[in-house]
Amino acid sequence: MQRLLIDRSTLDLIAADAQDFLNVLNASGLHQASAMMLGVLEQLQSDRANLPEERGDAAQSSQPS
């Protein structure tokens, strides 16, 4: 499956909503669903770590080669 490119702020919003949903699943005692959602959150954190730095990219592109 092809992944869509999104910016850091959008990914942060998705991760925050995912964390809220994980908290609801845990509070409801839905342990199997919680474990699956935890995997989603781990993937979101991995994706965020692999995003290019916004400031770093702009600084690099403004410097002459």
Side-chain angles (χ1 to χ4, degrees):
M1 179 187 321
Q2 182 179 359
R3 289 179 175 247
L4 299 175
L5 297 177
I6 60 174
D7 63 15
R8 187 174 303 275
S9 62
T10 303
L11 188 57
D12 288 345
L13 287 172
I14 293 168
D17 287 345
Q19 182 64 55
D20 290 344
F21 187 54
L22 176 63
N23 293 341
V24 169
L25 292 172
N26 283 327
S28 300
L30 300 171
H31 303 294
Q32 188 173 4
S34 294
M36 291 173 63
M37 195 63 205
L38 188 57
V40 170
L41 275 170
E42 289 170 355
Q43 183 61 53
L44 288 170
Q45 290 173 348
S46 173
D47 290 347
R48 188 177 194 286
N50 292 325
L51 284 176
E53 289 296 324
E54 292 171 12
R55 285 184 233 146
D57 289 346
Q60 288 175 1
S61 64
S62 66
Q63 293 177 353
S65 299

